[in-house]
Amino acid sequence: MNPLLDQLLEKGHVWQATQSPRPDTDRYSTGYPELDTGLGGWPKGALTELLLPHTGIGELRLCLPLLKQLSQSGQAIFWFDPPHIPYAPALARAGIQLSQLFVVHTKHPKDQLWGMDQALRSQACGLVLAWPDQPRPGDLRRLQLAAADGGSSAFIMRKESDTQQASPAALRLQLRPHPDGLSITILKRRGSWAGAEHVLRLPDPVTGQPIPSHPMPQDSPDTTPGTTVIQGPWAAEDNPVPNNPLQE
Amino acid sequence: MLWLYIHFPSLQLDHYQRAHTHPIPVALVDGQPPRVREANQEARQQGVSPEQSIHTAASLAPTLQLCPDDTALQEKLLSRLAQRCYHYAAHITLCPPDGLLLEVSTVLRLHGGLRPLYRQLAETFQKQAYQAWIAGGATPLAARLLARNHTALSDDPSTQWATLRNLPIQATDLPVGITDRLSRMGLRKIGQVMDLPPQEIAKRLGTDVTSYIHRLSGRQPDPQPAWSPPKHFEVHLDLLRELDTVTAILFPLQRLLQELADFLRQHQLATDTLHLNLEHRYDSTTRFQIRTGKQAHNTETFLQLCRLQLEHHILQAPVVRIQLRVDRWLARQPDATDLFGSTASQDSLQQALLDRLQARLGRKHIKRPNAVPDHRPEKAWQAGEAPVKFPHPPSQWPQRPLWFLDRPQPLLEAPQDWLSGPERLGGGWWDGQNILRDYYVARLTTGRIAWVFRQPQGGWFIHGWFA
């Protein structure tokens, strides 16, 4: 064969389809059949990045089947610096074993990185969910190595604005809210090509029933565009922002 | 009866040296004006010798550390060393300031003779960096004299007697006046004195001397009070050179932790709390409490936790003394091993990880969210471990958001869609935290689904996100 090509192969600069990971052994099922066919599952022992415009668009519902699967098989799930409180009643209702959840709050990015590194390497933790503030590519690289070392997975939630940054993650998904669930764009996938936008139907957060047409509370703001909002703190400009009711 | 006497020729000096990796010249001083009483090898090489004034000694060895001769400290050290010996012999007597007496005839068969026991003891003290001279004798005093004069160990009684009889009379514990009178009489060896008729000695030198000789030769009983080990563990190390970095503390700390691990092994105990005190130069002390989630008993676990806790600590002042105390004991539970002898179960790995995280990040920063049977949203969860019994299985609980906001945010925009509601949640008069709110689920213009509530007095707030 061409010596130049040999050299490139030896240095690992050329990706070979034969070396791509086996989809069945080192992947977790996502719990959504259409996502499983699209992605082949969540990578095991690797970093996954989820890029979202803001928290609360459905990123947890996306991960729920995996959380349920891991916690029920007795694997610990560590949450590093979640932006809000993971609400135990809702998690328990979704079938997650609360005894396997650990929420870690760190004061410093270094502590967070260290903690995640420890958790990923320890082989005692199935999944790390983390909300880092401005992670550097070097830090992510370290986490990727730690994940590969310990065979644990990590989900890193990042801002949408980081889409253009290079990342060593095995899988990068850009999430956007969609009326039916989530719109997912594959930005990077190890061993395969980036994909097009895809809409994933998530279970309805309320009842699983079709969304009712207009169950309007009596004094709620009018939602038809163009009409004046009569009541509610958001409407009239002279209406001051109400105080936090729990602070009184 | 067979007695083993262990003499520590430089107990206090060894204690000071233990905390340091490199030899440091040290001298003990006492008296008024202060004079050198004892100097370690490093100091002697630089010319320091006993009876020198401290000025001479300090000019000979500029880096010489002078320490007061501390009898209280020596006694404490002896008690600590007795704890180490307790593993080998049951009847131990402290002989302050620098000796331990062990009754070994009852344990000889257990250890397979005097020599194997001697080897084990010697190894123990060597590991602990203490010099020890060990000798055996038929009476406590005989063993003491043989050990203090650094004679070779012998398990043959006749050789022991011959060696003892050959010792100079000055080697005994008799007062200097008496030994002087004996040597003026031409009695220079212990054997010569022992051969004399006791009545004659009593007449000339007093009954104290006869009684001493009788106890030495075994003609008079010499009962020894037995020492019993304390039920708490407290060790300390005095540092000659002040340590100002945390990494420098880890070396001496390792020695203390090794002692703790040995103590725990001997008593078949384990612990989950260590108290580590770092005493600073000006009487202030930094206290650490090191906790493990699961009981532990080996040095590596303790050291790793100490390292994690200390790593982040910035020392206020240089450390002069390290103290380690344990007063919480747990019965040791054997690690469950599987068929192939592997002990690292998922559970113990998880516990080890939690210990590490808690040691570095702080115990209160790692929480386990738990559900509580209360209908008020902010009371329905807690960060605790207590498993709570619920009247219904979780699948029958009401739908709640996955993200919960600690402080409700004011709702500043008109929602796009109303998905469900109202759900009125009220009550709480019984603990003074009364609420009355109507909850709705609404989709906002950003596409997020919020859990919003309205209070009767007005005002709309977001209390969670259906993420």
Side-chain angles (χ1 to χ4, degrees):
Chain A
M1 211 199 263
N2 191 339
L4 188 66
L5 197 56
D6 279 345
Q7 218 173 350
L8 283 174
L9 283 175
E10 211 166 277
K11 286 187 179 167
H13 290 329
V14 172
W15 172 77
Q16 285 173 287
T18 49
Q19 290 172 359
S20 69
R22 293 275 181 86
D24 45 342
T25 51
D26 44 13
R27 305 230 148 199
Y28 291 116
S29 162
T30 60
Y32 300 98
E34 62 266 48
L35 204 58
D36 276 347
T37 42
L39 290 176
W42 298 120
K44 201 187 263 190
L47 231 56
T48 300
E49 266 183 36
L50 303 177
L51 298 113
L52 14 136
H54 19 239
T55 55
I57 58 166
E59 71 275 16
L60 289 186
R61 263 182 294 160
L62 179 67
C63 311
L64 269 185
L66 177 62
L67 297 186
K68 184 174 164 186
Q69 180 194 337
L70 289 177
S71 70
Q72 287 185 348
S73 65
Q75 301 202 56
I77 298 159
F78 279 79
W79 305 54
F80 282 87
D81 299 296
H84 308 296
I85 298 163
Y87 200 42
L91 292 167
R93 190 178 191 273
I96 292 168
Q97 290 291 322
L98 293 179
S99 57
Q100 297 296 336
L101 299 190
F102 299 92
V103 179
V104 183
H105 289 282
T106 57
K107 285 186 201 132
H108 197 270
K110 264 189 182 169
D111 281 344
Q112 190 196 44
L113 183 66
W114 175 86
M116 288 169 65
D117 189 90
Q118 289 287 320
L120 288 171
R121 275 181 207 282
S122 72
Q123 306 187 334
C125 152
L127 178 69
V128 166
L129 297 168
W131 285 261
D133 190 34
Q134 311 271 335
R136 291 175 308 167
D139 298 344
L140 292 172
R141 175 102 197 120
R142 181 177 154 189
L143 292 177
Q144 167 64 39
L145 290 174
D149 218 28
S152 312
S153 302
F155 279 25
I156 312 282
M157 315 288 172
R158 297 182 69 177
K159 288 193 203 83
E160 203 176 24
S161 51
D162 294 340
T163 316
Q164 294 307 315
Q165 270 190 25
S167 162
L171 179 67
R172 297 186 88 197
L173 300 179
Q174 184 175 11
L175 309 181
R176 285 209 192 89
H178 189 274
D180 289 336
L182 271 175
S183 126
I184 300 173
T185 313
I186 302 172
L187 296 177
K188 178 190 171 187
R189 182 158 39 141
R190 194 186 278 169
S192 186
W193 310 110
E197 195 165 333
H198 174 89
V199 173
L200 178 72
R201 286 179 171 274
L202 293 176
D204 186 275
V206 187
T207 50
Q209 303 292 315
I211 294 164
S213 51
H214 274 296
M216 286 284 285
Q218 289 232 319
D219 68 341
S220 78
D222 197 334
T223 50
T224 43
T227 52
T228 324
V229 174
I230 301 157
Q231 288 200 1
W234 56 86
E237 275 170 20
D238 54 357
N239 209 349
V241 171
N243 290 328
N244 189 335
L246 300 192
Q247 304 293 309
E248 284 165 8
Chain B
M1 290 288 250
L2 182 61
W3 299 86
L4 210 58
Y5 191 92
I6 307 162
H7 176 61
F8 301 99
S10 50
L11 184 62
Q12 203 180 340
L13 291 175
D14 287 345
H15 168 69
Y16 289 132
Q17 183 58 60
R18 289 180 73 210
H20 300 274
T21 40
H22 305 292
I24 290 173
V26 197
L28 294 187
V29 291
D30 68 348
Q32 198 54 255
R35 285 186 177 277
V36 173
R37 218 185 118 249
E38 226 182 306
N40 70 350
Q41 201 191 353
E42 191 69 15
R44 284 200 302 275
Q45 274 172 4
Q46 298 187 27
V48 180
S49 61
E51 294 307 313
Q52 267 171 355
S53 76
I54 56 167
H55 306 290
T56 318
S59 51
L60 280 169
T63 55
L64 184 70
Q65 302 281 336
L66 297 170
C67 303
D69 192 16
D70 188 345
T71 47
L73 172 66
Q74 286 165 2
E75 212 157 309
K76 231 184 233 179
L77 293 177
L78 266 191
S79 155
R80 236 160 93 185
L81 289 165
Q83 278 180 36
R84 324 270 320 172
C85 298
Y86 203 59
H87 186 51
Y88 302 105
H91 188 121
I92 299 176
T93 307
L94 305 190
C95 306
D98 50 11
L100 288 178
L101 184 67
L102 277 58
E103 197 282 304
V104 292
S105 51
T106 48
V107 292
L108 273 190
R109 268 185 65 191
L110 174 68
H111 295 286
L114 191 60
R115 294 220 169 254
L117 175 62
Y118 167 79
R119 264 199 302 279
Q120 284 176 358
L121 282 172
E123 201 181 312
T124 305
F125 295 122
Q126 199 186 359
K127 227 189 265 171
Q128 286 291 308
Y130 281 106
Q131 277 190 68
W133 296 348
I134 307 175
T139 64
L141 266 183
R144 174 178 161 88
L145 295 189
L146 287 170
R148 288 182 73 91
N149 289 286
H150 205 190
T151 56
L153 179 94
S154 151
D155 44 7
D156 174 33
S158 56
T159 324
Q160 288 169 4
W161 280 119
T163 322
L164 180 70
R165 290 173 67 88
N166 252 332
L167 287 178
I169 197 75
Q170 281 78 15
T172 60
D173 302 307
L174 294 170
V176 183
I178 307 271
T179 54
D180 279 355
R181 284 180 67 186
L182 286 168
S183 40
R184 264 186 264 130
M185 289 176 206
L187 302 166
R188 293 177 204 287
K189 298 270 164 74
I190 293 179
Q192 291 170 319
V193 184
M194 284 164 80
D195 289 342
L196 292 176
Q199 296 86 346
E200 296 303 318
I201 301 178
K203 205 194 262 174
R204 285 177 174 77
L205 300 167
T207 45
D208 285 355
V209 181
T210 13
S211 140
Y212 184 83
I213 299 292
H214 279 163
R215 274 186 287 141
L216 182 61
S217 57
R219 267 174 277 175
Q220 188 178 323
D222 187 8
Q224 298 291 331
W227 168 87
S228 60
K231 195 66 183 155
H232 67 277
F233 180 85
E234 186 173 336
V235 289
H236 72 271
L237 265 186
D238 296 286
L239 306 171
L240 290 177
R241 294 220 174 116
E242 294 170 346
L243 301 179
D244 45 12
T245 60
V246 165
T247 38
I249 293 172
L250 289 174
F251 173 76
L253 186 60
Q254 194 177 355
R255 286 227 152 119
L256 295 182
L257 292 173
Q258 179 62 47
E259 270 186 60
L260 172 65
D262 287 351
F263 179 89
L264 291 173
R265 200 188 61 237
Q266 282 170 24
H267 293 78
Q268 280 301 298
L269 290 172
T271 185
D272 61 357
T273 315
L274 311 184
H275 298 274
L276 177 67
N277 293 350
L278 302 180
E279 290 179 21
H280 299 298
R281 195 190 294 165
Y282 300 112
D283 284 347
S284 65
T285 305
T286 314
R287 289 166 209 283
F288 292 97
Q289 195 187 41
I290 293 145
R291 291 181 64 101
T292 65
K294 205 175 138 216
Q295 53 154 283
H297 53 79
N298 56 350
T299 323
E300 294 79 50
T301 316
F302 292 138
L303 187 67
Q304 198 183 21
L305 293 178
C306 291
R307 181 181 292 140
L308 286 174
Q309 191 140 0
L310 289 173
E311 231 167 33
H312 258 243
H313 184 76
I314 296 161
L315 292 175
Q316 304 298 323
V319 178
V320 295
R321 195 165 192 261
I322 305 175
Q323 194 191 31
L324 184 69
R325 184 165 57 81
V326 176
D327 39 24
R328 198 177 135 80
W329 306 113
L330 302 166
R332 198 191 281 203
Q333 283 158 8
D335 293 329
T337 48
D338 64 12
L339 185 63
F340 305 105
S342 149
T343 53
S345 66
Q346 192 73 13
D347 241 22
S348 62
L349 281 174
Q350 193 175 318
Q351 198 54 58
L353 170 64
L354 278 178
D355 284 348
R356 284 201 298 278
L357 291 175
Q358 283 172 348
R360 169 147 165 184
L361 305 175
R363 208 173 173 73
K364 61 172 190 291
H365 290 120
I366 294 149
K367 290 177 180 154
R368 312 179 77 153
N370 228 321
V372 179
D374 195 310
H375 63 282
R376 289 167 291 174
E378 53 268 45
K379 296 270 179 194
W381 80 284
Q382 68 176 24
E385 297 179 25
V388 186
K389 287 246 183 266
F390 286 88
H392 303 291
S395 54
Q396 291 177 15
W397 295 355
Q399 184 67 275
R400 292 286 177 259
L402 288 163
W403 281 137
F404 184 71
L405 305 191
D406 201 13
R407 294 151 169 258
Q409 290 173 9
L411 179 64
L412 299 175
E413 56 173 319
Q416 212 175 31
D417 288 316
W418 293 93
L419 304 182
S420 88
E423 179 189 1
R424 173 158 292 189
L425 296 177
W429 48 265
W430 50 88
D431 58 6
Q433 308 213 354
N434 209 354
I435 62 160
L436 183 61
R437 300 177 198 145
D438 289 337
Y439 278 89
Y440 300 88
V441 182
R443 188 194 305 278
L444 305 190
T445 45
T446 50
R448 301 199 272 184
I449 299 170
W451 200 40
V452 296
F453 71 83
R454 180 188 168 275
Q455 305 212 92
Q457 60 268 39
W460 287 81
F461 297 90
I462 303 173
H463 214 176
W465 299 109
F466 286 89

